[in-house]
Amino acid sequence: MGLTPYLLSTLAGNRPVEQVTHQMLEDVVAETGYIAVLAVLVGDNVYYLDYAASNPDFAYLAQNRLERPPLETSAGWVILAGLGDEQVWTMLSASASSKETVDKFQSDYPKLRASGECIAPGVALNGADGVAVAVRDQGNVVASVSVIAAMDDIARDADKIIEVLRRHQVKWNR
């Protein structure tokens, strides 16, 4: 079904993740200079519902609403870590990602789960990397906001990016 449930919900006047507005993504972009995306897990894939960009380098990832395997994005790592243990292990056992990537996620899982943050996992196959934080609704992870850029840019600016995301996160968590 892909994004169908979210699109139908939006057409009916309900935003699937309403606490993160487009303006909030624009504010993150204004402070970081990179692409900010709102990501959700639909079935076994991550989709970017909304994005803001000042740099077109990786905007196509969000513009085209492409499905992404969760283990290949910082947003996916945050969302997976927010699921219940049984659901996470079921998804990992069915994952088409490399054993190395699955092992890396499993190693980082306790820290990811506790913090709700993922900084530059280095797992994307397209030359990008990201910094992501969880979006919570009543304590449950329902989405993530991620800043995406080239691996070198993320490595250089990760501390600044996570600080910006943490500051903005208090506006969208419920």
Side-chain angles (χ1 to χ4, degrees):
M1 288 180 57
L3 279 177
T4 302
Y6 287 95
L7 294 175
L8 292 174
S9 182
T10 302
L11 289 172
N14 301 320
R15 292 192 65 222
V17 180
E18 62 186 30
Q19 69 261 41
V20 180
T21 67
H22 183 75
Q23 185 58 52
M24 289 174 177
L25 296 177
E26 291 283 352
D27 293 345
V28 169
V29 169
E31 289 189 57
T32 64
Y34 300 119
I35 297 165
V37 297
L38 172 63
V40 295
L41 184 67
V42 179
D44 294 338
N45 291 295
V46 170
Y47 291 89
Y48 299 143
L49 294 183
D50 195 6
Y51 76 98
S54 64
N55 179 335
D57 288 350
F58 295 102
Y60 70 91
L61 295 172
Q63 289 170 334
N64 296 319
R65 308 284 196 268
L66 300 172
E67 62 185 42
R68 305 290 311 278
L71 288 178
E72 293 178 15
T73 68
S74 58
W77 280 43
V78 166
I79 294 169
L80 282 178
L83 300 176
D85 289 342
E86 187 174 320
Q87 190 174 3
V88 170
W89 305 134
T90 299
M91 289 187 74
L92 290 178
S93 67
S95 174
S97 295
S98 73
K99 181 180 178 340
E100 177 181 279
T101 299
V102 171
D103 289 347
K104 184 174 181 180
F105 176 84
Q106 287 179 318
S107 173
D108 290 354
Y109 177 71
K111 181 178 156 189
L112 295 165
R113 187 158 179 80
S115 70
E117 301 174 353
C118 181
I119 301 173
V123 293
L125 302 176
N126 58 10
D129 210 343
V131 177
V133 296
V135 175
R136 297 180 191 276
D137 189 359
Q138 299 180 8
N140 298 313
V141 175
V142 295
S144 71
V145 172
S146 181
V147 171
I148 303 169
M151 291 177 138
D152 292 344
D153 293 332
I154 292 294
R156 181 186 63 238
D157 296 336
D159 290 340
K160 173 189 172 189
I161 294 167
I162 195 65
E163 184 274 321
V164 169
L165 288 171
R166 286 173 180 157
R167 194 166 16 83
H168 286 275
Q169 185 181 36
V170 290
K171 298 175 193 171
W172 60 65
N173 280 347
R174 297 181 182 173

